[in-house]
Amino acid sequence: MLLIYCPYCEEERSELEFRHGGDAHIARPTNIADISDAEFEDYFFLRDNPKGLIFERWRHIHGCGRFFNAARDTVSDKFYMSYKAGEPKPYIPGVSPASEKPLSENVGETYEATEGTAK
Amino acid sequence: MADHALRKAPLAGRHGGSAGARVTPAAPATRLSLRAGADALGALSAAFGLTLPTRPKTSASAGGRHALWLGPDEWLLIDENEADLMALAAGAGVLHSAVDVSHRNTAILVSGPHAAGAIASGCPLDLGNAIFPVGAAARTVLGKIEVVAFRPGEEDYRVECWRSFSPYAFGLLSEGAEDAGL
Ligand SMILES: [Zn+2]
């Protein structure tokens, strides 16, 4: 059983309490009505599915209910770290992200950045 | 014809467990699912007569009323004396969301020296003293269902589950109680 650190509960909890939420740091186009079908396909459907370090969304659905992000190795399943929604991609010492996209790209998460506050 | 319908308790008449871990249905209680931002906590705490906890896995209790931290802006309130929690919330006068879940949930009490072991038979939460002391509370899973575990006393645990899942939860906890301490 995997133990996953929830940054809101501030402790490791069983993977049974969590749900995977796909790739993190995917910025919704601000001009979504204007983009082509191919551009929409790329934003909405296409993912790299790489071997190695990736950044992905998780939800502590049977715990505090929060979405957060985690850095995980897709081969070993090792979780390097978890961080709150809205925070930028962290630098993992000694490990390069498996995605071809550079680390500086896609740091803006429009909806996740405000998800932590109930209004 | 009956003059009024009788409310049927979901676990009425059930009993189970072992000498080391008794498993019993909890008495009826009123419950609220409460969501609120940090700026509303003072007024809501005053309305409920206890300080809503803001640290993970903690709770606050006063006179049979309990406020369990479920998430950064979410609490489960339980009143064992069946006070009108909805009216108290409405009187707070601050922005919040309160849903009456008194009859959505029911609770199972697990008590005795092997109570933690009985729950652990189907629950991945660490229930040890260091990490789940008296007063701790958390939403988690029990077997295939979601529950809220709460530890009101040294050898007392309260397992809140949805009403329709309660026969499953009761059966699983009773089996666990028979196995715990063997
Ligand atoms: Zn959590």
Side-chain angles (χ1 to χ4, degrees), chain A residues 2-21 57-68 70 79 82, chain B residues 124 140-141:
Chain A
L2 291 173
L3 293 175
I4 301 174
Y5 183 88
C6 172
Y8 296 96
C9 292
E10 300 175 8
E11 67 175 9
E12 289 184 327
R13 300 277 280 268
S14 161
E15 64 171 307
L16 298 175
E17 297 182 355
F18 295 85
R19 184 171 294 169
H20 183 251
R57 305 175 76 214
W58 284 82
R59 187 178 180 199
H60 196 185
I61 186 165
H62 298 303
C64 65
R66 288 300 157 133
F67 280 96
F68 61 93
F79 278 79
S82 307
Chain B
T140 181
V141 291

